[in-house]
């Protein structure tokens, strides 16, 4: 069935590892890995999303599967633009007018990186593009009333970035955005297995290990998972068994950087807001929130109760979509500022 509408308001969580699209009135309609497979000879898209992700590490010479986003920002502008156009068309089949789009970005990106996101969306078919920062979107998606004077602390661990922020009165009071997150955990697992077992495993295998048995806090029960790779000494395929203890050791460095970022935000938080956070606890969102023991580790390091949002993976996309309701007031405020400047 082809959906026809005059105009759609679209919210996009432009993540390093996956892209989620929220359409006003319909909710999250698309969730795909931000991977594109391209024929290098013809420059044609062969696959996008999950189909392209299946090709990672398996493509012949003329086909390359790439991630056009790195560390939460655009690393390949042209591919990102084409990918966005594809996902927008897939989400909203037929439109009479161009859609308004609000895009979620890490709080620590530069003005140049922010401009690149806006321009990519404009060229992908948006009539107007708005930007919202990840911690704000995550807080809205988690059901927090960000307009209240009470302080709320959000920890959003995505694929390319980790955003830690204290929010009050609708804005970010203190924040820290570091380019260490889920992808770095995958890389740490790959390096650990290469060093300890002399075995090279693929990107997808490392991610599966992280999801299935990955942990950052000593587990009550030891779990094991077998993984296939290539022995670096013999050059032959090998099957090895990895334990949760291995994962604990492998993930130590990236997780330590994340906990240090959380600590630095708490150190700079005004006393009144720190008291609010101490009473209400911290909210965790993003795929990294599902890493086993992450909430326990943060509680141990900070002494503050940690709650995982109900739908941590879609939380940012839902918050981005809900903020679409503010578009009218944003436009009125902007026109008011332009009038005053005149």
């Amino acid at each position: 069935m082809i959906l026809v509408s005059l105009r759609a308001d679209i919210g996009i969580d432009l993540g390093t590892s996956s892209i989620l699209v929220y359409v006003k009135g319909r909710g999250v309609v698309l969730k795909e890995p931000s991977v594109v497979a391209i024929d290098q000879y013809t420059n044609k898209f062969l696959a996008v999303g999950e189909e392209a992700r299946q090709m990672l590490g398996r493509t012949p010479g003329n086909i390359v599967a790439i991630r056009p986003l790195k560390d939460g920002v655009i690393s390949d502008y042209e591919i990102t633009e084409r990918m966005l156009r594809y996902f927008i068309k897939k989400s909203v089949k037929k439109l009479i007018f161009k859609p308004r789009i609000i895009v979620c970005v890490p709080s620590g990106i530069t003005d140049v990186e922010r401009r690149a996101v806006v321009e990519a969306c404009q060229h992908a078919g948006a009539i107007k593009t708005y930007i919202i920062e990840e911690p704000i979107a995550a807080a809205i998606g988690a059901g927090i009333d960000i307009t209240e004077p009470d302080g709320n602390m959000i920890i959003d661990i995505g694929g390319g970035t980790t955003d830690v922020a204290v929010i009050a009165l609708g804005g970010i009071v203190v924040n820290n955005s570091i380019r260490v997150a889920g992808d770095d955990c995958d890389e740490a697992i790959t390096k650990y297995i290469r060093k300890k077992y002399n075995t090279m495993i693929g990107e997808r295998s490392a991610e599966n290990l992280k999801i299935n048995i990955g942990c950052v806090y000593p587990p009550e029960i030891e779990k094991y998972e077998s993984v296939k790779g290539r022995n670096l000494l013999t050059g032959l395929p090998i099957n090895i068994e990895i334990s949760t203890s291995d994962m604990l050791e492998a993930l130590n460095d990236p997780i330590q950087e994340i906990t240090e970022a959380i600590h630095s935000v708490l150190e700079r938080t005004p006393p009144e807001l720190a008291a609010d956070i101490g009473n209400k606890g911290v909210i965790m969102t993003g795929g990294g929130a599902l890493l086993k023991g992450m909430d326990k580790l943060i509680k141990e390091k900070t002494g503050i109760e940690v709650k995982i949002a109900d739908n941590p993976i879609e939380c940012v996309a839902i918050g981005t979509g809900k903020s679409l309701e503010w578009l009218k007031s944003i436009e009125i405020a902007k026109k008011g500022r332009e009038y005053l400047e005149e």
Side-chain angles (χ1 to χ4, degrees):
M1 178 177 147
I2 296 176
L3 297 172
V4 182
S5 58
L6 294 175
R7 170 177 287 151
D9 287 337
I10 298 172
I12 299 177
D13 177 9
L14 196 63
T16 306
S17 57
S18 61
I19 290 179
L20 286 84
V21 179
Y22 180 107
V23 177
K24 191 173 180 181
R26 291 169 57 201
V28 177
V29 296
L30 184 140
K31 178 184 169 188
E32 295 265 10
S34 45
V35 184
V36 178
I38 297 174
D39 188 325
Q40 290 183 304
Y41 297 156
T42 62
N43 203 32
K44 284 184 179 178
F45 272 27
L46 299 178
V48 183
E50 182 57 39
E51 193 180 340
R53 192 183 81 90
Q54 299 291 337
M55 297 182 181
L56 282 171
R58 300 172 183 266
T59 55
N62 65 310
I63 299 170
V64 58
I66 59 169
R67 294 177 181 265
L69 296 150
K70 184 172 175 60
D71 298 331
V73 296
I74 295 172
S75 61
D76 190 318
Y77 180 86
E78 185 187 344
I79 301 300
T80 302
E81 181 193 314
R82 289 170 67 187
M83 183 176 70
L84 277 170
R85 187 180 288 115
Y86 172 85
F87 283 140
I88 291 166
K89 283 183 180 177
K90 190 174 179 180
S91 303
V92 188
K93 301 293 184 185
K94 199 169 183 182
L95 289 172
I96 294 172
F97 300 114
K98 290 182 177 181
R100 291 181 298 182
I101 294 177
I102 184 160
V103 187
C104 183
V105 297
S107 60
I109 69 169
T110 64
D111 290 339
V112 173
E113 291 164 343
R114 192 181 293 258
R115 198 176 300 118
V117 171
V118 172
E119 287 178 2
C121 289
Q122 295 294 103
H123 291 150
I127 192 170
K128 188 76 177 174
T129 302
Y130 302 88
I131 295 291
I132 186 170
E133 292 176 324
E134 265 177 29
I136 297 286
I140 296 168
I144 295 170
D145 184 356
I146 62 169
T147 60
E148 290 183 351
D150 293 346
N152 291 284
M153 188 170 184
I154 300 291
I155 301 168
D156 179 64
I157 307 172
T161 58
T162 295
D163 274 272
V164 186
V166 174
I167 297 166
L169 294 169
I172 294 173
V173 181
V174 185
N175 78 294
N176 192 0
S177 180
I178 60 169
R179 296 185 178 185
V180 177
D183 287 351
D184 297 273
C185 291
D186 297 342
E187 192 178 331
I189 291 167
T190 304
K191 285 180 179 176
Y192 177 84
I193 291 173
R194 185 172 62 211
K195 186 177 178 182
K196 183 175 179 180
Y197 294 99
N198 286 316
T199 300
M200 179 67 76
I201 64 168
E203 185 180 325
R204 285 181 58 207
S205 298
E207 186 181 9
N208 288 337
L209 280 174
K210 179 185 71 178
I211 293 167
N212 296 334
I213 61 166
C215 66
V216 297
Y217 194 82
E220 294 177 3
I221 302 170
E222 190 82 355
K223 292 183 181 178
Y224 297 88
E225 175 108 355
S226 62
V227 62
K228 292 181 174 67
R230 176 169 54 84
N231 189 296
L232 295 173
L233 300 176
T234 64
L236 300 174
I238 189 174
N239 194 30
I240 57 173
E241 204 162 69
I242 306 297
S243 67
T244 46
S245 296
D246 286 326
M247 291 290 100
L248 193 63
E249 195 175 337
L251 295 170
N252 182 62
D253 289 346
I255 297 303
Q256 189 174 340
E257 288 190 58
I258 291 170
T259 55
E260 285 173 1
I262 296 166
H263 195 267
S264 74
V265 169
L266 287 169
E267 281 183 330
R268 293 181 285 125
T269 302
E272 293 294 337
L273 296 179
D276 293 337
I277 294 164
N279 291 330
K280 291 159 60 173
V282 173
I283 301 289
M284 278 184 70
T285 64
L290 299 175
L291 198 54
K292 292 175 186 69
M294 195 69 197
D295 52 343
K296 292 178 183 176
L297 181 70
I298 294 171
K299 184 181 177 181
E300 186 181 271
K301 297 280 186 182
T302 63
I304 300 169
E305 198 67 39
V306 178
K307 302 168 190 171
I308 299 173
D310 290 339
N311 191 352
I313 293 176
E314 294 185 0
C315 206
V316 171
I318 292 167
T320 303
K322 284 184 177 178
S323 67
L324 287 164
E325 297 166 10
W326 305 348
L327 287 181
K328 192 172 181 181
S329 60
I330 289 171
E331 287 176 336
I332 291 168
K334 186 179 177 185
K335 285 177 182 176
R337 284 197 301 273
E338 287 171 353
Y339 175 78
L340 288 171
E341 285 167 4
E342 286 173 4

